[in-house]
Amino acid sequence: MRLEVHEQLEQKMDATIEALKFEFGTIRAGRANAAMLDKVRVDYYGTLTPINQMAAISVPEPRTLMITPWDKSSMHEIEKAIANSDVGLTPSNDGSVIRLSVPALTEERRKELAKKAHKASEDFKVRIRNERRDANDKLKKIEKAGEITEDELKKATEEVQKITDKYIKEIDSLYAKKEKDIMEV
Protein backbone atom coordinates (compact mmCIF):
# COMPACT_ATOMS: atom_id res chain seq x y z
CA MET A 1 0.00 0.00 0.00
CA ARG A 2 1.50 3.30 -1.13
CA LEU A 3 0.12 6.42 0.52
CA GLU A 4 0.54 10.09 -0.31
CA VAL A 5 2.39 10.38 3.02
CA HIS A 6 5.09 8.04 1.66
CA GLU A 7 5.48 10.08 -1.52
CA GLN A 8 5.75 13.34 0.43
CA LEU A 9 8.27 11.72 2.76
CA GLU A 10 10.46 10.61 -0.16
CA GLN A 11 10.32 14.11 -1.68
CA LYS A 12 11.39 15.69 1.62
CA MET A 13 14.17 13.14 2.09
CA ASP A 14 15.39 13.66 -1.50
CA ALA A 15 15.61 17.38 -0.75
CA THR A 16 17.56 16.60 2.44
CA ILE A 17 20.04 14.46 0.46
CA GLU A 18 20.49 17.28 -2.08
CA ALA A 19 21.15 19.72 0.78
CA LEU A 20 23.77 17.33 2.19
CA LYS A 21 25.45 17.06 -1.21
CA PHE A 22 25.57 20.86 -1.34
CA GLU A 23 27.03 20.96 2.18
CA PHE A 24 29.70 18.39 1.29
CA GLY A 25 30.52 20.36 -1.87
CA THR A 26 31.51 23.33 0.26
CA ILE A 27 33.97 21.24 2.31
CA ARG A 28 37.22 21.31 0.41
CA ALA A 29 39.18 18.15 -0.17
CA GLY A 30 42.62 19.33 -1.27
CA ARG A 31 41.61 20.02 -4.85
CA ALA A 32 40.18 23.20 -6.29
CA ASN A 33 36.42 23.01 -6.72
CA ALA A 34 34.09 25.87 -7.67
CA ALA A 35 31.54 24.63 -5.09
CA MET A 36 33.99 25.68 -2.35
CA LEU A 37 32.77 29.24 -2.88
CA ASP A 38 29.02 28.46 -2.87
CA LYS A 39 28.49 29.80 0.66
CA VAL A 40 30.53 32.99 0.12
CA ARG A 41 28.34 36.07 -0.33
CA VAL A 42 29.58 39.41 -1.68
CA ASP A 43 28.12 42.77 -0.70
CA TYR A 44 27.22 43.92 -4.21
CA TYR A 45 25.42 47.28 -4.20
CA GLY A 46 23.90 46.54 -0.81
CA THR A 47 22.77 43.00 -1.66
CA LEU A 48 24.53 39.83 -0.48
CA THR A 49 25.14 37.98 -3.75
CA PRO A 50 26.74 34.56 -4.39
CA ILE A 51 30.04 34.82 -6.28
CA ASN A 52 28.82 32.50 -9.04
CA GLN A 53 26.13 35.10 -9.88
CA MET A 54 28.74 37.83 -10.30
CA ALA A 55 31.64 36.05 -11.95
CA ALA A 56 32.78 33.05 -13.92
CA ILE A 57 34.57 30.53 -11.69
CA SER A 58 36.94 28.11 -13.38
CA VAL A 59 39.51 25.53 -12.33
CA PRO A 60 42.49 25.95 -14.71
CA GLU A 61 44.71 23.66 -12.59
CA PRO A 62 43.94 21.07 -9.89
CA ARG A 63 44.97 23.45 -7.10
CA THR A 64 43.86 26.79 -8.55
CA LEU A 65 40.52 28.55 -8.75
CA MET A 66 40.15 31.49 -11.11
CA ILE A 67 37.37 34.04 -10.68
CA THR A 68 36.63 36.39 -13.58
CA PRO A 69 34.12 39.06 -12.46
CA TRP A 70 31.65 40.27 -15.06
CA ASP A 71 31.82 43.71 -13.48
CA LYS A 72 35.49 44.59 -12.86
CA SER A 73 34.48 47.21 -10.26
CA SER A 74 33.28 44.37 -7.99
CA MET A 75 36.73 42.77 -7.78
CA HIS A 76 37.68 44.38 -4.48
CA GLU A 77 34.37 43.34 -2.88
CA ILE A 78 34.79 39.73 -4.10
CA GLU A 79 38.33 39.63 -2.71
CA LYS A 80 37.15 41.02 0.63
CA ALA A 81 34.30 38.49 0.87
CA ILE A 82 36.65 35.55 0.19
CA ALA A 83 39.23 36.83 2.67
CA ASN A 84 36.55 37.24 5.38
CA SER A 85 34.91 33.85 4.72
CA ASP A 86 35.78 30.53 6.39
CA VAL A 87 37.05 29.09 3.08
CA GLY A 88 40.62 29.56 4.27
CA LEU A 89 42.03 30.80 0.95
CA THR A 90 43.91 34.01 0.21
CA PRO A 91 42.84 35.76 -3.00
CA SER A 92 45.39 37.35 -5.33
CA ASN A 93 44.16 39.95 -7.82
CA ASP A 94 46.01 40.71 -11.08
CA GLY A 95 43.58 43.40 -12.25
CA SER A 96 41.42 41.20 -14.48
CA VAL A 97 41.02 37.93 -12.54
CA ILE A 98 41.24 36.74 -8.94
CA ARG A 99 43.25 33.59 -8.35
CA LEU A 100 42.90 31.34 -5.35
CA SER A 101 45.65 28.86 -4.71
CA VAL A 102 44.40 25.81 -2.84
CA PRO A 103 47.21 24.55 -0.62
CA ALA A 104 47.74 20.87 0.05
CA LEU A 105 45.98 19.83 3.24
CA THR A 106 47.94 18.92 6.34
CA GLU A 107 47.04 15.71 8.15
CA GLU A 108 45.56 17.75 11.00
CA ARG A 109 43.42 19.83 8.60
CA ARG A 110 42.22 16.65 6.85
CA LYS A 111 41.06 15.22 10.18
CA GLU A 112 39.34 18.52 11.00
CA LEU A 113 37.50 18.51 7.64
CA ALA A 114 36.56 14.84 8.04
CA LYS A 115 35.13 15.70 11.47
CA LYS A 116 33.16 18.58 9.90
CA ALA A 117 31.79 16.22 7.22
CA HIS A 118 30.87 13.65 9.90
CA LYS A 119 29.01 16.29 11.92
CA ALA A 120 27.13 17.37 8.78
CA SER A 121 26.16 13.77 8.02
CA GLU A 122 24.90 13.27 11.60
CA ASP A 123 22.90 16.53 11.43
CA PHE A 124 21.28 15.39 8.20
CA LYS A 125 20.47 11.97 9.70
CA VAL A 126 18.62 13.82 12.46
CA ARG A 127 16.66 15.69 9.78
CA ILE A 128 15.76 12.38 8.13
CA ARG A 129 14.59 10.95 11.46
CA ASN A 130 12.50 14.07 12.14
CA GLU A 131 10.85 13.62 8.75
CA ARG A 132 10.15 9.98 9.67
CA ARG A 133 8.52 11.09 12.94
CA ASP A 134 6.36 13.64 11.09
CA ALA A 135 5.26 11.02 8.55
CA ASN A 136 4.36 8.55 11.33
CA ASP A 137 2.37 11.28 13.11
CA LYS A 138 0.43 11.97 9.89
CA LEU A 139 -0.29 8.26 9.50
CA LYS A 140 -1.61 8.04 13.09
CA LYS A 141 -3.94 10.98 12.41
CA ILE A 142 -5.21 9.28 9.25
CA GLU A 143 -5.84 6.08 11.23
CA LYS A 144 -7.64 8.02 14.00
CA ALA A 145 -9.82 9.66 11.35
CA GLY A 146 -10.82 6.15 10.25
CA GLU A 147 -9.33 6.43 6.76
CA ILE A 148 -7.08 3.39 7.29
CA THR A 149 -7.24 0.38 9.61
CA GLU A 150 -4.81 -0.48 12.39
CA ASP A 151 -3.21 -3.17 10.19
CA GLU A 152 -2.80 -0.70 7.34
CA LEU A 153 -1.20 1.76 9.79
CA LYS A 154 1.30 -0.92 10.83
CA LYS A 155 2.18 -1.66 7.19
CA ALA A 156 2.42 2.06 6.39
CA THR A 157 4.76 2.75 9.33
CA GLU A 158 6.92 -0.23 8.28
CA GLU A 159 7.15 1.35 4.81
CA VAL A 160 8.15 4.67 6.41
CA GLN A 161 10.93 2.84 8.26
CA LYS A 162 12.15 1.18 5.04
CA ILE A 163 12.25 4.58 3.32
CA THR A 164 14.12 6.06 6.29
CA ASP A 165 16.66 3.22 6.33
CA LYS A 166 17.29 3.72 2.60
CA TYR A 167 18.08 7.42 3.07
CA ILE A 168 20.20 6.89 6.20
CA LYS A 169 22.21 4.35 4.19
CA GLU A 170 22.61 6.91 1.39
CA ILE A 171 23.89 9.51 3.87
CA ASP A 172 26.41 6.97 5.21
CA SER A 173 27.53 6.24 1.66
CA LEU A 174 27.92 9.95 0.79
CA TYR A 175 29.88 10.51 4.01
CA ALA A 176 32.19 7.54 3.35
CA LYS A 177 32.89 8.88 -0.13
CA LYS A 178 33.54 12.42 1.16
CA GLU A 179 35.79 11.15 3.96
CA LYS A 180 37.81 9.10 1.46
CA ASP A 181 38.05 12.19 -0.76
CA ILE A 182 39.28 14.33 2.16
CA MET A 183 41.76 11.81 3.53
CA GLU A 184 43.48 10.83 0.28
CA VAL A 185 46.75 12.66 -0.27
Side-chain angles (χ1 to χ4, degrees):
M1 181 174 95
R2 190 87 178 141
L3 294 171
E4 189 178 315
V5 172
H6 295 130
E7 288 163 15
Q8 290 172 349
L9 179 64
E10 289 220 29
Q11 288 172 350
K12 286 180 182 177
M13 289 186 176
D14 282 337
T16 301
I17 294 295
E18 288 308 308
L20 178 64
K21 287 177 182 175
F22 174 82
E23 184 71 27
F24 279 171
T26 64
I27 299 174
R28 72 186 187 97
R31 287 185 300 285
N33 174 357
M36 294 165 61
L37 301 174
D38 282 353
K39 287 186 174 179
V40 180
R41 301 286 184 258
V42 180
D43 185 2
Y44 187 60
Y45 295 107
T47 304
L48 289 179
T49 309
I51 291 176
N52 62 5
Q53 291 181 13
M54 305 175 58
I57 303 171
S58 59
V59 185
E61 299 165 23
R63 293 203 183 277
T64 306
L65 276 173
M66 192 165 71
I67 303 165
T68 310
W70 295 311
D71 175 4
K72 300 293 183 208
S73 67
S74 65
M75 257 181 147
H76 177 69
E77 292 300 321
I78 293 173
E79 262 189 298
K80 195 164 78 172
I82 293 168
N84 293 337
S85 73
D86 67 349
V87 176
L89 301 175
T90 306
S92 69
N93 175 350
D94 71 4
S96 60
V97 297
I98 298 170
R99 293 186 199 293
L100 299 172
S101 183
V102 180
L105 295 172
T106 63
E107 186 65 27
E108 184 180 319
R109 183 70 177 141
R110 286 178 197 282
K111 287 178 182 172
E112 223 175 87
L113 291 172
K115 207 180 282 184
K116 185 176 177 181
H118 184 263
K119 183 183 180 334
S121 72
E122 290 302 316
D123 291 347
F124 280 85
K125 283 181 187 178
V126 168
R127 282 194 199 179
I128 293 286
R129 291 183 190 115
N130 287 340
E131 289 162 2
R132 173 189 61 194
R133 184 196 61 227
D134 293 346
N136 284 335
D137 289 347
K138 283 181 188 173
L139 289 170
K140 287 175 188 165
K141 284 180 186 170
I142 292 170
E143 190 252 347
K144 271 191 178 157
E147 295 176 37
I148 60 173
T149 66
E150 202 174 313
D151 287 342
E152 289 171 328
L153 171 66
K154 187 175 181 339
K155 286 179 185 167
T157 53
E158 286 171 2
E159 176 69 16
V160 166
Q161 187 58 48
K162 283 180 191 171
I163 293 168
T164 303
D165 292 344
K166 178 179 97 173
Y167 283 93
I168 294 286
K169 192 174 178 181
E170 188 171 350
I171 288 174
D172 288 338
S173 166
L174 288 169
Y175 168 67
K177 184 178 173 209
K178 185 64 180 181
E179 183 185 39
K180 182 179 181 275
D181 199 25
I182 291 170
M183 297 310 279
E184 72 185 22
V185 179

